[in-house]
C-alpha cells in the first residue's frame, strides 16, 4: 500500500487501511477492499487477490496523474472467513460498529481462547475495538473484486462476473447431550446415543435445501464426537450448520425444521440439545447503477461478462446492507476454492481492475 502511494494505518479491529487523498476532504470516499485471512488448507487467491487489485488501482491512479475529487481508500479486512471462532466478517463488522466487548468475550476457538484473548496475544487492544467504527455517511460506495470461487465463469469461458446478489447466511453450532454407555451391553431401546440423534437430523438437512430448488444450500462441515471410541455409546456430539440462500425465508424455514427435528429426536430417547447462533446476516442486492456502469465498461473494453449470484459471503455482504456496493468476479479455474489448487489468471484480475478503475474515475 505504501509503495502505491497510500497513507496507511491499522485500525482497532486488525484491518489494514490505505488512502489516496482527494481534493475535496468533505466528499464521501470510494472504498475498495477484501480480506487478507484464509481458511485451513486454503489457497493463494481467496480474499487477498481483491486487496491486491485495490492497491493496483491506487497505483494506476497515481501513475496516470488523475486528480481525485474524493478520497480513494483500500482496506485489507481482518478475519472475514471466521475460521478460528466460527463467526465471520470481523473486520467489516468492526468498521460498521457491530463489535463490542460482549462479542469479543462470547466467541471462542476450539482451545477455549476468546477473540478478546486472541486480540491481546496478537498485539491489538480489544478494549478499543469500538473505535474501528467508520462514519458510513462519509462513504459514497464500496467495491470488491474477488475470485468467483465457483465454476460458472470458467466453464462458460466468460471473462468477468458482475455480482447482482450475495446470499444471506446463518451459522450455528449444535451440541447434543446423550449418555456414555457400553456399546455391547446396553440395549438399543435403553440408549441415549448422541450420535444416533445427531445423524438422524443431519441426514435431512441437505435434502431440505434441495427441496427449495433455487440455489439454497445447507452444510454440516464440522462434527466432533465425545468420547469418540469404537466401543462406547457417544455422550456428546457437536456439529456445525451453515445455511445460505438469496431468499431469507428459505433460511428461516430450514433452521426451523432443524430445531423441530432436534427436539423430536431428543425427546424420543431423553437426550438434550443446545443450538448456538454464530452468524446471521440477510441477503443483499447490489447497486444497480454501478452494475450498469460496469457492464458498459466491459463492453467498451471488449470483455465478455454476465450477471451472477454469489453463493459465498464477502465483506461486501454486511457493508452492502448500509452502503451502495458492487462486486466483480474473476473466473476460478475449474471452480476450485478453499483448497491449495485454487487459481485465477492474473490477466483476468487485470480485466477486473480495468473496469473497476473506469468506474472509480467516472464516480469522481
Amino acid at each position: 500500500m505504501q509503495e502505491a502511494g497510500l497513507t496507511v494505518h491499522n485500525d482497532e479491529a486488525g484491518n489494514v487501511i490505505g488512502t489516496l487523498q482527494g481534493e475535496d476532504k468533505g466528499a464521501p470516499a470510494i472504498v475498495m477492499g477484501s480480506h487478507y485471512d484464509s481458511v485451513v488448507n486454503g489457497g493463494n487467491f481467496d480474499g487477498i487477490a481483491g486487496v491486491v487489485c485495490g492497491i493496483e488501482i491506487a497505483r494506476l491512479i497515481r501513475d496516470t496523474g488523475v486528480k481525485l475529487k474524493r478520497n480513494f481508500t483500500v482496506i485489507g479486512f481482518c478475519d472475514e472467513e471466521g475460521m478460528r471462532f466460527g463467526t465471520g466478517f470481523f473486520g467489516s463488522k468492526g468498521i460498521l460498529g457491530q463489535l463490542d466487548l460482549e462479542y469479543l468475550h462470547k466467541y471462542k476457538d476450539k482451545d477455549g481462547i476468546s477473540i478478546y484473548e486472541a486480540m491481546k496475544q496478537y498485539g491489538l487492544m480489544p478494549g478499543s475495538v469500538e473505535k474501528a467504527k467508520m462514519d458510513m455517511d462519509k462513504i459514497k460506495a464500496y467495491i470488491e473484486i474477488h475470485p468467483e470461487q465457483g465454476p460458472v465463469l470458467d466453464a462458460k469461458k466468460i471473462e468477468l462476473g458482475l455480482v447482482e446478489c450475495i446470499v444471506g447466511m446463518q451459522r450455528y453450532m449444535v451440541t447434543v447431550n446423550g449418555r456414555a454407555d457400553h456399546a455391547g451391553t446396553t440395549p438399543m431401546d435403553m440408549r441415549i446415543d448422541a450420535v444416533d440423534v445427531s445423524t438422524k437430523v443431519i441426514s435431512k438437512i441437505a435434502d431440505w435445501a434441495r427441496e427449495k430448488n433455487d440455489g439454497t444450500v445447507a452444510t454440516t462441515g464440522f462434527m466432533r464426537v465425545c468420547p469418540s471410541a469404537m466401543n462406547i455409546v457417544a455422550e456428546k456430539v457437536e456439529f456445525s450448520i451453515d445455511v445460505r440462500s438469496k431468499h431469507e425465508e428459505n433460511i428461516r424455514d430450514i433452521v426451523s425444521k432443524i430445531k423441530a427435528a432436534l427436539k423430536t429426536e431428543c425427546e424420543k430417547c431423553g437426550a438434550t440439545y443446545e443450538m448456538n447462533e454464530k452468524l446471521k446476516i440477510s441477503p443483499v442486492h447490489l447497486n444497480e447503477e454501478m452494475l450498469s456502469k460496469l457492464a458498459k465498461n466491459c463492453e467498451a473494453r471488449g470483455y465478455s461478462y454476465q450477471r451472477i449470484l454469489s453463493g459465498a459471503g464477502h465483506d461486501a455482504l454486511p457493508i452492502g446492507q448500509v452502503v451502495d456496493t458492487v462486486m466483480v468476479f474473476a473466473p476460478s479455474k475449474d471452480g476450485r476454492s478453499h483448497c491449495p489448487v485454487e487459481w485465477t489468471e492474473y490477466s483476468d484480475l487485470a480485466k477486473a481492475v480495468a473496469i473497476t478503475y473506469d468506474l472509480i474515475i467516472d464516480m469522481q
Side-chain angles (χ1 to χ4, degrees), residues 11-29:
D11 75 5
E12 292 80 2
N15 299 315
V16 184
I17 302 173
T19 298
L20 281 181
Q21 297 294 325
E23 294 176 342
D24 184 354
K25 293 183 179 179

Side-chain angles (χ1 to χ4, degrees), residues 18 66 241 249:
V66 171
I241 300 168
E249 60 269 24

Side-chain angles (χ1 to χ4, degrees), residues 180-228:
D181 281 304
H182 196 291
T185 61
T186 309
M188 297 304 294
D189 61 351
M190 298 177 70
R191 298 182 178 204
I192 309 176
D193 187 340
V195 164
D196 189 33
V197 170
S198 300
T199 54
K200 283 177 179 174
V201 176
I202 291 169
S203 67
K204 300 173 184 176
I205 294 174
D207 286 335
W208 287 330
R210 291 187 186 99
E211 288 169 4
K212 302 300 181 185
N213 197 31
D214 60 0
T216 298
V217 295
T219 306
T220 295
F222 167 85
M223 189 172 182
R224 178 162 52 200
V225 180
C226 180
S228 192

Side-chain angles (χ1 to χ4, degrees), residues 97-166:
Q98 297 174 0
L99 299 178
D100 56 23
L101 288 178
E102 180 182 359
Y103 185 97
L104 303 187
H105 285 295
K106 179 178 179 180
Y107 295 105
K108 299 180 179 180
D109 67 11
K110 61 181 177 60
D111 298 315
I113 297 171
S114 68
I115 298 176
Y116 184 95
E117 294 170 305
M119 290 178 73
K120 288 183 69 176
Q121 291 170 3
Y122 184 71
L124 295 170
M125 294 185 290
S128 300
V129 71
E130 294 180 32
K131 293 181 180 179
K133 181 180 179 180
M134 290 184 174
D135 184 349
M136 293 296 114
D137 291 334
K138 293 182 179 179
I139 297 178
K140 179 177 177 63
Y142 175 75
I143 306 167
E144 184 165 353
I145 294 173
H146 205 283
E148 180 195 354
Q149 301 181 271
V152 175
L153 298 176
D154 187 54
K156 293 183 176 181
K157 304 305 176 189
I158 293 173
E159 291 167 294
L160 296 171
L162 308 183
V163 181
E164 55 187 3
C165 178
I166 306 174

Side-chain angles (χ1 to χ4, degrees), residues 74-95:
V74 182
I75 304 179
F77 285 108
C78 173
D79 195 24
E80 181 267 353
E81 298 286 2
M83 193 77 197
R84 180 174 177 183
F85 301 98
T87 51
F89 312 119
F90 186 82
S92 43
K93 284 181 177 178
I95 72 163

Side-chain angles (χ1 to χ4, degrees), residues 273-291:
Y273 79 94
E274 297 99 41
M275 188 167 167
N276 296 314
E277 181 184 296
K278 290 284 192 175
L279 178 68
K280 187 175 185 179
I281 191 164
S282 299
V284 66
H285 292 271
L286 302 186
N287 184 267
E288 185 58 40
E289 182 180 355
M290 286 194 286
L291 282 168

Side-chain angles (χ1 to χ4, degrees), residues 11-45:
D11 75 5
E12 292 80 2
N15 299 315
V16 184
I17 302 173
T19 298
L20 281 181
Q21 297 294 325
E23 294 176 342
D24 184 354
K25 293 183 179 179
I30 295 174
V31 178
M32 274 194 75
S34 194
H35 59 99
Y36 64 80
D37 61 302
S38 185
V39 297
V40 172
N41 205 40
N44 294 331
F45 289 82

